[in-house]
């Protein structure tokens, strides 16, 4: 067991020591001395046999929770007994790639004299390193055996200590210094009804016009950093399913204010920060599936890339291919956002044919994939920051992917390293630009696959899934829905939203005595479909699984056969609502669901408005000034973006009223808590 306090590991030591100093005129008697030590989860058992001649037995059992150094932990323990006849340290075997190693190794030490000659037992933990600087010291513990007495058990917690510096005194100014910036936030979250007025004001502010008069936009205006406004806004709108109207409105307004298509979405605006945050939340699993395996390989192999650019070229080619072929896995919400960005940019800059691509690539490449490659630990792709050599490799890969994604005309002109010009010229081939455009088209427009003719079941008969007539239908798949039609070009007979697809699996032939069948499972029913051949069936299962794999309510089990004649053919269960009996093949980890508390985010928004109340009042005064005076405005008001002073003033008045009401509730809560709390209680 270990406790971490300010990154200092503490250890529980249990030491029992008993010794017989001397015997005269008697046969030699061996007396057992037991010493048990747990060092940061390191369990050390020492059996000391002593009568004048002492033989120490020390068993190192295991470690738990050791620190990870430079992304690795290959620990071993060094054990020694210090005293007049100091023994050499004896080492355990190195345990690779674990910070919870099981050693189970025993060492023997011979000491001349009794227990009083044993001054200290020493256990040091080391990380076996491949670097030229040697192994890294993880920490150690020193147990003064003399102080324990001749008998008894000693239980105490010890901090795992740093190196003792050979007993030399260390001056304070030689220790160096560490500068910290610590932010502590404490929120008291009330029941949901307390936030009703403020929450409704935020959620119903779109598609109001102008956007600058909305409560969400005002929050971005008054906050010192756009990021602190973006985080609670995005989480609140995602929680209530209103993220698309919100982002579409603020993005459209920003596009209309942009004069040069080359600078579109390049600033740290509220729009950019909100879309960044949305991609981090909604696209986390997409990022893991697309890049994680390749990032792990790069960090593990440590291949030299500046010395051998061929290694770098292979890495870039593989990652580029992974990204540009991952379009079908892009989450629906991200595709909807990119479609909105594309349409707004294309409408605003009709002459520029590339703006519909750069508007999307400025987010998916420059703000999503490239940063994740550069700093994989910040995107949960790696547990720790990579070592310097690997970090340099990732930097070069990230810069190349960013340049390819931006559709720059000259790749080599974007880099300072002139010696890499030949390397970057390799990627000037047209196929890379075409692959990027195809990928951007795929994730930013509605149609994402060609239509195929398949068979589906007719309307339900007497039983929920009884024998039915199969009719030929024309199927169509988009980023948003899966539909089928009587013939190509006609209206849809049935529409299945992508978010309603719980699983896509094969259907056993015995169900309807038909081959090449699969099922699209929805909350209320399963759609049974027969493809023309096995290849077509496999392709449909694959693409439908990829498109729906980020849905929150995907099933973990399913029924591989149909429900006929009052029971499931596979498991014979009679209830048609019975959970599946077979694990899904396209299952997802359960942790991809967004863990968002709407009331918590509403409280954060209230706290931000309360913190910047002075700016709200100044903005209100600026609205009044512009409404009655059309001359040069005061300098303190010029920082606010106000398109419609009257509408903005109305919104500000409601915001201030809602914040003041919540402020009174917080004051009453704190006053009641102060009265009810006694000194010394929890």
């Amino acid at each position: 067991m270990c406790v971490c306090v300010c990154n200092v590991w503490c250890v529980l030591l249990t030491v029992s020591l008993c010794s017989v100093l001397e015997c005269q005129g008697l046969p030699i008697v061996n007396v057992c001395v037991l010493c048990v030590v747990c060092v940061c989860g390191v369990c050390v058992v020492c059996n000391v046999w002593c009568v004048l001649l002492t033989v120490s037995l020390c068993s190192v059992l295991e470690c738990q929770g050791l620190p990870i150094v430079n992304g690795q932990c290959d620990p071993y323990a060094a054990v020694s007994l210090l005293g007049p006849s100091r023994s050499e340290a004896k080492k355990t075997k190195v345990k690779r790639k674990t910070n919870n190693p099981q050693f189970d190794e025993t060492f023997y030490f011979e000491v001349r004299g009794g227990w009083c000659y044993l001054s200290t037992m020493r256990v040091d933990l080391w990380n076996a390193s491949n670097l030229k600087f040697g192994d890294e010291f993880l920490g150690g513990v020193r147990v003064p055996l003399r102080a324990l007495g001749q008998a008894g058990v000693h239980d105490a917690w010890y901090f795992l200590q740093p190196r003792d510096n050979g007993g030399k005194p260390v001056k304070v100014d030689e220790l160096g210094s560490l500068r910290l910036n610590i932010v502590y936030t404490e929120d008291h979250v009330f029941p949901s009804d307390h936030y009703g007025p403020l929450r409704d004001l935020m959620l119903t502010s779109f598609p109001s016009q102008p956007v600058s008069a909305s409560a969400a936009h005002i929050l971005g205006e008054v906050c010192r950093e756009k990021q602190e406004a973006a985080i609670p806004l995005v989480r609140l709108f995602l929680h209530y399913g209103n993220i698309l109207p919100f982002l579409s409105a603020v993005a459209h307004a920003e596009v209309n204010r942009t004069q040069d298509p080359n600078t579109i979405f390049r600033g740290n605006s509220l729009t950019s920060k909100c879309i960044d945050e949305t991609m981090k939340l909604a696209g986390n699993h997409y990022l893991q599936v697309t890049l994680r395996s390749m990032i792990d390989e790069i960090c593990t192999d440590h291949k030299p890339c500046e010395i051998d650019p061929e290694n770098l070229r292979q890495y870039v080619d593989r990652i580029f291919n992974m990204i540009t072929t991952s379009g079908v896995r892009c989450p629906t919400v991200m595709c909807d956002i990119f479609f909105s960005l594309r349409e707004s940019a294309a409408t605003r800059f009709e002459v520029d044919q590339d703006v519909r691509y750069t508007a999307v690539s400025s987010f998916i490449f420059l703000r999503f994939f490239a940063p994740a490659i550069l700093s994989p630990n910040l995107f949960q792709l790696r547990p720790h920051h990579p070592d310097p050599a690997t970090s340099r490799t990732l930097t070069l890969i990230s810069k190349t992917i960013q340049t390819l994604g931006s559709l720059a005309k000259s790749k080599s002109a974007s880099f300072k390293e002139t010696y890499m010009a030949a390397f970057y010229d390799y990627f000037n081939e047209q196929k890379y630009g075409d692959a990027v455009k195809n990928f951007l088209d795929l994730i930013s427009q509605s149609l994402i696959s060609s239509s195929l003719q398949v068979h589906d079941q007719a309307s339900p008969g007497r039983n929920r899934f009884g024998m039915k007539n199969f009719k030929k239908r024309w199927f169509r798949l988009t980023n948003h829905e899966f539909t089928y039609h009587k013939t190509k070009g006609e209206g849809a007979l049935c529409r299945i939203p992508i978010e309603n697809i719980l699983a896509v699996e094969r259907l056993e032939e015995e169900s309807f005595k038909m081959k090449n069948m699969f099922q699209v499972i929805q909350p209320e029913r399963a759609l049974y479909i027969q493809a023309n051949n096995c290849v077509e069936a496999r392709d449909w299962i694959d693409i439908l699984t990829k498109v729906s794999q980020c849905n929150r309510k995907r099933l973990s089990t399913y029924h591989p056969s149909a429900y006929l004649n009052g029971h499931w053919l596979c498991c014979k269960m009679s209830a048609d609502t019975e959970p599946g009996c077979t694990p899904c093949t396209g299952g997802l980890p359960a942790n991809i669901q967004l863990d968002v508390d709407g009331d918590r985010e509403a409280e954060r928004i209230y706290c931000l408005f309360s913190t910047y109340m002075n700016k709200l009042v100044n903005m209100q005064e600026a609205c009044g000034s512009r409404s009655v005076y059309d001359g040069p405005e005061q300098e303190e008001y010029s920082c606010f973006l106000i398109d419609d002073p009257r509408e903005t003033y109305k919104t500000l008045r409601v915001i201030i009223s809602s914040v003041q009401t919540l402020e009174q509730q917080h004051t009453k809560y704190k006053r009641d808590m102060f009265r009810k709390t006694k000194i010394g209680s929890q």
Side-chain angles (χ1 to χ4, degrees):
M1 178 178 180
C2 60
V3 179
C4 180
V5 181
C6 296
N7 293 330
V8 179
W9 294 92
C10 57
V11 300
L12 177 62
L13 304 183
T14 304
V15 179
S16 176
L17 182 62
C18 177
S19 300
V20 177
L21 297 182
E22 182 175 24
C23 294
Q24 293 183 0
L26 295 174
I28 296 178
V29 177
N30 291 333
V31 179
C32 177
V33 179
L34 177 63
C35 177
V36 180
V37 184
C38 291
V39 182
C40 190
V42 180
C43 187
V44 183
V45 180
C46 301
N47 294 323
V48 184
W49 298 87
C50 62
V51 178
L52 296 180
L53 177 63
T54 303
V55 177
S56 296
L57 179 150
C58 179
S59 298
V60 182
L61 302 181
E62 64 176 327
C63 303
Q64 291 184 358
L66 293 179
I68 297 176
V69 181
N70 293 328
Q72 68 166 13
C73 189
D74 300 328
Y76 67 89
V79 185
S80 59
L81 290 177
L82 307 181
S85 55
R86 179 169 179 167
S87 62
E88 294 184 359
K90 299 185 179 182
K91 301 177 182 179
T92 65
K93 294 180 180 179
V94 177
K95 301 297 181 179
R96 299 290 181 184
K97 297 181 180 180
T98 177
N99 64 337
N100 300 301
Q102 298 282 338
F103 290 113
D104 293 322
E105 295 190 36
T106 302
F107 305 100
Y108 295 87
F109 300 93
E110 181 177 319
V111 180
R112 296 293 177 180
W115 72 271
C116 58
Y117 292 96
L118 298 175
S119 61
T120 304
M121 182 183 68
R122 172 178 172 177
V123 180
D124 291 336
L125 299 174
W126 297 81
N127 179 48
S129 174
N130 295 324
L131 301 177
K132 62 181 180 180
F133 304 108
D135 298 345
E136 293 96 357
F137 180 73
L138 300 180
V141 67
R142 310 292 183 269
V143 182
L145 301 181
R146 181 185 295 274
L148 301 181
Q150 298 187 31
V153 176
H154 178 71
D155 291 336
W157 283 98
Y158 289 85
F159 286 115
L160 190 60
Q161 298 294 331
R163 222 185 294 261
D164 58 9
N165 200 34
K168 300 178 181 178
V170 179
K171 297 181 180 179
V172 175
D173 57 359
E174 293 179 354
L175 295 177
S177 61
L178 178 66
R179 182 179 181 183
L180 298 177
N181 181 18
I182 301 175
V183 178
Y184 172 76
T185 302
E186 179 179 288
D187 292 332
H188 298 275
V189 182
F190 291 138
S192 184
D193 57 305
H194 287 67
Y195 302 104
L198 181 61
R199 181 178 59 243
D200 294 342
L201 178 65
M202 305 300 297
L203 296 176
T204 59
S205 56
F206 299 98
S208 63
Q209 292 296 332
V211 172
S212 61
S214 65
H217 192 275
I218 290 173
L219 180 62
E221 284 292 296
V222 298
C223 285
R224 184 180 61 181
E225 301 289 343
K226 302 296 184 184
Q227 183 70 18
E228 59 181 343
I231 293 175
L233 283 175
V234 166
R235 297 174 74 88
L236 182 73
F237 281 103
L238 272 174
H239 181 70
Y240 289 100
N242 288 7
I243 191 66
L244 184 59
F246 163 55
L247 291 179
S248 297
V250 295
H252 185 71
E254 181 172 333
V255 169
N256 287 339
R257 291 193 298 268
T258 303
Q259 301 301 319
D260 184 357
N262 294 318
T263 63
I264 191 168
F265 299 127
R266 293 302 175 95
N268 290 322
S269 62
L270 180 65
T271 304
S272 299
K273 292 298 183 182
C274 286
I275 296 179
D276 286 353
E277 189 64 23
T278 303
M279 291 191 299
K280 286 182 180 179
L281 291 172
N284 180 264
H285 179 70
Y286 171 47
L287 199 61
Q288 301 283 331
V289 172
T290 306
L291 292 182
R292 183 165 195 139
S293 61
M294 194 65 213
I295 296 296
D296 286 343
E297 180 180 331
I298 294 171
C299 294
T300 302
D301 290 351
H302 301 288
K303 289 183 179 180
C305 289
E306 289 189 283
I307 298 176
D308 186 357
E310 180 63 21
N311 290 332
L312 181 62
R313 189 188 67 78
Q314 292 178 3
Y315 281 151
V316 171
D317 260 335
R318 292 172 61 188
I319 289 183
F320 179 82
N321 184 64
M322 287 177 174
I323 293 174
T324 53
T325 58
S326 68
V328 294
R329 291 192 293 268
C330 187
T332 302
V333 65
M334 290 174 60
C335 294
D336 291 340
I337 293 169
F338 296 149
F339 177 75
S340 178
L341 298 179
R342 177 191 180 110
E343 292 298 301
S344 295
T347 303
R348 176 71 174 86
F349 303 101
E350 296 180 353
V351 179
D352 193 328
Q353 296 299 313
D354 287 335
V355 72
R356 66 183 187 273
Y357 295 117
T358 56
V360 179
S361 68
S362 63
F363 286 103
I364 193 67
F365 280 102
L366 273 66
R367 296 174 179 267
F368 189 62
F369 284 122
I373 296 170
L374 180 64
S375 303
N377 55 305
L378 299 182
F379 291 80
Q380 291 80 52
L381 294 174
R382 294 288 295 177
H384 301 281
H385 189 71
D387 61 80
T390 304
S391 182
R392 176 60 177 164
T393 298
L394 294 175
T395 299
L396 294 174
I397 296 173
S398 176
K399 291 172 67 176
T400 310
I401 293 297
Q402 179 176 321
T403 304
L404 290 171
S406 66
L407 297 172
K409 297 297 186 296
S410 175
K411 306 295 185 294
S412 57
S414 303
F415 301 91
K416 296 181 294 184
E417 300 89 345
T418 55
Y419 65 91
M420 297 293 285
F423 167 76
Y424 295 118
D425 286 341
Y426 171 83
F427 295 100
N428 276 325
E429 295 183 23
Q430 185 61 35
K431 66 177 182 179
Y432 291 99
D434 293 341
V436 170
K437 289 184 177 180
N438 291 336
F439 170 68
L440 296 176
D441 282 336
L442 191 62
I443 64 174
S444 62
Q445 63 183 19
S446 58
L447 186 63
I448 66 169
S449 69
S450 60
S451 301
L452 299 173
Q453 294 190 62
V454 294
H455 295 75
D456 79 293
Q457 62 184 31
S459 58
R462 182 174 54 187
N463 294 327
R464 187 182 180 202
F465 297 122
M467 291 295 294
K468 307 173 182 66
N469 296 322
F470 282 76
K471 296 183 179 180
K472 202 162 195 175
R473 295 289 182 251
W474 183 269
F475 277 77
R476 188 170 183 266
L477 176 64
T478 74
N479 276 334
H480 309 89
E481 61 184 4
F482 182 49
T483 62
Y484 64 80
H485 315 249
K486 189 172 183 179
T487 59
K488 182 179 181 180
E490 290 192 8
L493 298 176
C494 178
R495 297 180 182 274
I496 303 174
I498 294 299
E499 58 266 24
N500 284 357
I501 298 179
L502 306 183
V504 183
E505 300 289 347
R506 293 190 179 275
L507 188 69
E508 292 184 357
E509 185 178 338
E510 65 170 343
S511 299
F512 299 104
K513 309 302 180 185
M514 300 168 67
K515 296 182 178 180
N516 307 320
M517 293 203 65
F518 63 95
Q519 53 183 320
V520 180
I521 305 174
Q522 308 164 68
E524 299 298 328
R525 59 178 292 211
L527 186 66
Y528 298 140
I529 304 173
Q530 183 190 33
N532 293 321
N533 52 63
C534 61
V535 175
E536 189 176 275
R538 184 191 62 205
D539 290 344
W540 272 103
I541 293 173
D542 181 58
I543 195 169
L544 284 169
T545 299
K546 289 178 178 177
V547 168
S548 62
Q549 68 174 346
C550 290
N551 291 349
R552 300 186 187 182
K553 298 181 180 179
R554 279 188 62 93
L555 298 178
S556 57
T557 58
Y558 78 106
H559 292 284
S561 297
Y563 183 83
L564 297 175
N565 302 322
H567 68 275
W568 294 99
L569 297 181
C570 45
C571 59
K572 310 304 180 185
M573 301 300 292
S574 59
D576 57 4
T577 57
E578 189 71 26
C581 58
T582 303
C584 288
T585 57
L588 288 181
N591 60 359
I592 69 165
Q593 299 187 19
L594 298 180
D595 184 15
V596 177
D597 184 341
D599 297 335
R600 169 70 168 77
E601 304 311 323
E603 170 66 22
R604 287 300 308 139
I605 291 173
Y606 150 73
C607 289
L608 289 173
F609 276 134
S610 179
T611 301
Y612 296 104
M613 179 59 72
N614 290 337
K615 284 192 174 182
L616 290 175
V617 174
N618 289 341
M619 196 173 185
Q620 200 174 33
E621 293 175 355
C623 291
S625 174
R626 295 187 185 185
S627 297
V628 300
Y629 177 63
D630 199 25
E633 60 183 348
Q634 300 180 35
E635 184 178 354
E636 60 182 307
Y637 300 153
S638 62
C639 60
F640 299 122
L641 177 62
I642 302 175
D643 294 325
D644 188 331
R646 292 183 181 273
E647 291 299 320
T648 305
Y649 186 89
K650 292 178 182 178
T651 306
L652 284 165
R653 186 172 57 189
V654 178
I655 292 174
I656 292 174
S657 175
S658 300
V659 171
Q660 289 175 342
T661 300
L662 282 168
E663 188 71 43
Q664 294 173 0
Q665 295 171 346
H666 276 275
T667 301
K668 181 178 181 299
Y669 168 79
K670 292 177 181 178
R671 184 171 58 247
D672 293 344
M673 286 297 295
F674 179 76
R675 290 174 179 173
K676 296 176 182 178
T677 304
K678 296 180 180 179
I679 296 176
S681 67
Q682 182 180 0

